[in-house]
Every structure is written in structure tokens, then in C-alpha cells.
Amino acid sequence: MHGDELWAHVHAERGALASLLSGLTPEQWDSPSLCPGWRVRDVAAHVISAAQTGVLGEAAAFARARGGFDRMNLLEGQRRGSAPVTQILGDYRRLAASRRRAPGTGGVTPLLDVLVHTQDIAIPLGLAHRMPVDAAAACAEQVWRVAFPFNARRRLAGFGLRATDADWQAGDGPAVEGPIEALLTLLTGRRAWLHRLAGPGVALL
């Protein structure tokens, strides 16, 4: 997936996330997301930050984090998330249709970012948003193929992963089967949807 098809999905998913966010209460904005240490507002601000971050800004953020990628993301997410809700929502209105990438990112990363982080917000709040199957499959393929930052192939070595609603499978071993959106959350280190997966490999996970 690339070009116009990729960006059409990115823009649609950013719009869907903005709609979800606009209905949240102040308490929900400040509640924990699936990401340890990240509030809902931090994740929301992080997603749209890709359209705002340049090379110099990212270099400064790395310097503040002393070169740690995860720490840089967390500190930047918390910094951007401290903005008023109206400002964060305004960023989505201004930038949801942007094709600007965060420095150093390639492939379907902008789509992966919004798909997974939408669930980081929705799942703990008990809200539902389904991932488009073809978009989730394209993201799963990249996460499996590219080691950084999730190391999915190493973490899930010895398991046979297979989507039941898409033409996607990877690995070899005890089966772990289910919707591609549940497999994508597993590939990216989230365990919240293990109950949606089946097969003898699930108990081992």
C-alpha cells in the first residue's frame, strides 16, 4: 500500500480519531491509555505531531531525551499533550489531510501510527473503532518485516500467526489466529486483545 491509497487511509483514520476525541469528557482526556505513562491526551497529540515535526525539532527532542527513542517519544507526547484540548482538536482540523511524514519514517508508518494509537485510546475507554482490514494487513506486514521498533519477529518467534479475515500469515509454530486488527495490536506489543485470538499458541503467549 502506497501513494494515494495509503494517504486516503491515513486521512480517513485521522478524521475518525478526531471524531472519537471530540466526544470525550475532560476525565477521559486525562485517563490512562494502553501505553504506560501516556494519558489519552498525550497519545492524541502524538498522532497528529507527525504532520508538525521537522528534522531540527526532532533533533532537539532527542537531545532533551539524551538520545533515547522511547524516552523522546514519551517526553514529546507529554509535552504536546499538555496543550489545551481545543488546541489538540484544532491540530486535527488543520492537519488531518497532511501528507507530511515524521523525519526518518517510511513505508506505511503514518497509517500504522494512527491505527494502533487509536486503539491505545479507544480500548481502555471501552469505545469501539474497527481497523480497515486491508490497512491493518499492510501494517502487519511492515511490522513483521522491519525489526525497529517493535522486534515482532523476534518477540513472537516460534508462533504461527494467521489472520482469519485477511490474506496474512507469518511465522511457524503453535497457531495464533484471529482478526488482523487483533494480530496487529499483538505485533506492536499490546496484549489487550489476546482474548480475541484463538489457537494453541494463545495459552503460551
Side-chain angles (χ1 to χ4, degrees), residues 59-103:
F62 264 109
R64 287 192 294 271
R66 300 186 179 181
F69 178 78
D70 290 339
R71 179 170 170 77
M72 184 272 289
N73 272 336
L74 174 60
L75 292 179
E76 278 298 284
Q78 291 173 337
R79 183 181 70 82
R80 293 180 181 275
S82 67
V85 166
T86 53
Q87 181 177 323
I88 297 172
L89 290 175
D91 288 341
Y92 277 87
R93 287 191 295 271
R94 291 187 304 108
L95 300 167
S98 172
R99 290 193 175 199
R100 183 175 181 177
R101 289 176 175 269

Side-chain angles (χ1 to χ4, degrees), residues 14-100:
R14 284 177 182 164
L17 177 54
S19 295
L20 184 153
L21 292 169
S22 66
L24 299 185
T25 66
E27 292 76 19
Q28 288 174 315
W29 275 92
D30 287 324
S31 65
S33 73
L34 280 187
C35 305
W38 294 66
R39 300 165 297 176
V40 164
R41 64 191 304 124
D42 303 330
V43 177
H46 168 77
V47 171
I48 202 61
S49 71
Q52 306 174 69
T53 304
V55 174
L56 293 179
E58 183 153 293
F62 264 109
R64 287 192 294 271
R66 300 186 179 181
F69 178 78
D70 290 339
R71 179 170 170 77
M72 184 272 289
N73 272 336
L74 174 60
L75 292 179
E76 278 298 284
Q78 291 173 337
R79 183 181 70 82
R80 293 180 181 275
S82 67
V85 166
T86 53
Q87 181 177 323
I88 297 172
L89 290 175
D91 288 341
Y92 277 87
R93 287 191 295 271
R94 291 187 304 108
L95 300 167
S98 172
R99 290 193 175 199
R100 183 175 181 177

Side-chain angles (χ1 to χ4, degrees), residues 113-199:
D113 205 40
V114 67
L115 286 183
V116 174
H117 285 317
T118 294
Q119 301 307 327
D120 289 334
I121 291 170
I123 291 173
L125 294 179
L127 302 176
H129 175 71
R130 300 301 301 272
M131 294 185 195
V133 169
D134 57 339
C139 291
E141 185 61 28
Q142 176 171 303
V143 173
W144 185 258
R145 180 174 49 85
V146 179
F148 184 80
F150 301 109
N151 292 310
R153 199 182 320 189
R154 177 179 58 79
R155 286 190 300 102
L156 297 170
F159 294 95
L161 311 176
R162 187 180 73 84
T164 54
D165 57 351
D167 183 18
W168 187 86
Q169 60 182 13
D172 186 41
V176 177
E177 302 177 336
I180 188 64
E181 63 179 7
L183 287 171
L184 181 58
T185 62
L186 176 65
L187 288 165
T188 56
R190 281 80 170 163
R191 305 178 68 83
W193 273 348
L194 275 179
H195 66 280
R196 298 183 62 192
L197 300 172

Side-chain angles (χ1 to χ4, degrees), residues 1-14:
M1 183 178 292
H2 54 82
D4 290 343
E5 183 184 11
L6 168 66
W7 288 109
H9 274 298
V10 171
H11 299 158
E13 292 304 304
R14 284 177 182 164

